[in-house]
């Protein structure tokens, strides 16, 4: 089952957890700042809910944390070729203009627990597998076809999501700028990516 599910406990990331745990450090200043200073506000404003896994043998250590919220993929806003790619596994009679999704707003793994020698899979992979399985569980209260993420447009994050089978929503940075209204001369700070949860139902 892996390190996360066998040796850690999933918790809602609230003030009690923050006050009882060591500061979370995933070696990314922006993410650390969010989890330290903004995650609770996001939750109180109903903009996203944050969860974390803490280490069972040392509960004050946060192994990883992630924030999720409701979202959708609006295929009517996509170029035709990308729309066809997104809906290729959806039966024609079920096709719509918009599909329910969950957005991973923030995700980080403690820099000291990314890879454990006794584990065959990195902690980040285990975390993503958990999130995917969470939303196809029969007890899930709402339908959710896709997981989407607005990944940092950097090699490390893009490779992480690609390795976890996420696909860019747009075929190129230029296309993403055009269809999201970003100036063509501006740097694209993030890339929209998605994962089709139906792949786990087969």
């Amino acid at each position: 089952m892996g390190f996360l599910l066998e040796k850690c406990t999933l918790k809602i990331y609230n003030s009690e957890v923050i006050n009882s745990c060591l500061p979370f450090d995933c070696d990314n200043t922006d993410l650390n700042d969010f989890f330290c200073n903004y995650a609770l506000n996001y939750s109180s404003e109903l903009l996203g809910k944050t969860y974390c896994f803490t280490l069972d043998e040392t509960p004050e250590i946060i192994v990883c944390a992630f924030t999720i919220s409701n979202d959708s993929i609006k295929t009517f806003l996509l170029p035709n070729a990308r729309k066809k790619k997104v809906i290729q596994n959806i039966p024609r009679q079920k096709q719509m203009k918009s599909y329910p999704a969950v957005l991973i707003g923030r995700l980080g793994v403690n820099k000291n627990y990314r890879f454990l020698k006794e584990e065959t899979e990195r902690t980040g992979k285990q975390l993503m597998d958990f999130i995917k399985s969470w939303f196809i569980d029969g007890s899930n209260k709402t339908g959710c076809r896709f997981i989407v993420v607005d990944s940092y447009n950097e090699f490390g994050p893009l490779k992480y999501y690609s390795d976890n089978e996420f696909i860019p929503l747009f075929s190129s940075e230029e296309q993403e700028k055009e269809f999201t209204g970003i100036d063509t001369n501006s740097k694209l700070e993030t890339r929209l990516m998605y994962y089709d949860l139906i792949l786990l139902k087969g």
Side-chain angles (χ1 to χ4, degrees), residues 26-94:
C26 64
D27 210 23
N28 180 293
T29 302
D30 182 53
L31 289 174
N32 288 342
D33 186 42
F34 173 82
F35 288 119
C36 180
N37 299 310
Y38 297 103
L40 294 185
N41 181 256
Y42 260 60
S43 179
S44 66
E45 293 293 333
L46 306 181
L47 297 174
K49 193 159 187 178
T50 300
Y51 297 85
C52 66
F53 278 94
T54 58
L55 193 63
D56 289 343
E57 65 178 10
T58 316
E60 63 268 25
I61 293 178
I62 297 173
V63 174
C64 54
F66 61 98
T67 301
I68 52 177
S69 58
N70 294 326
D71 203 344
S72 65
I73 292 182
K74 298 175 177 61
T75 53
F76 64 92
L77 297 178
L78 298 177
N80 284 335
R82 301 310 290 174
K83 174 182 176 180
K84 290 178 181 177
K85 187 171 185 62
V86 170
I87 66 175
Q88 63 184 347
N89 293 319
I90 298 176
R92 179 173 294 275
Q93 65 271 24
K94 303 293 184 183

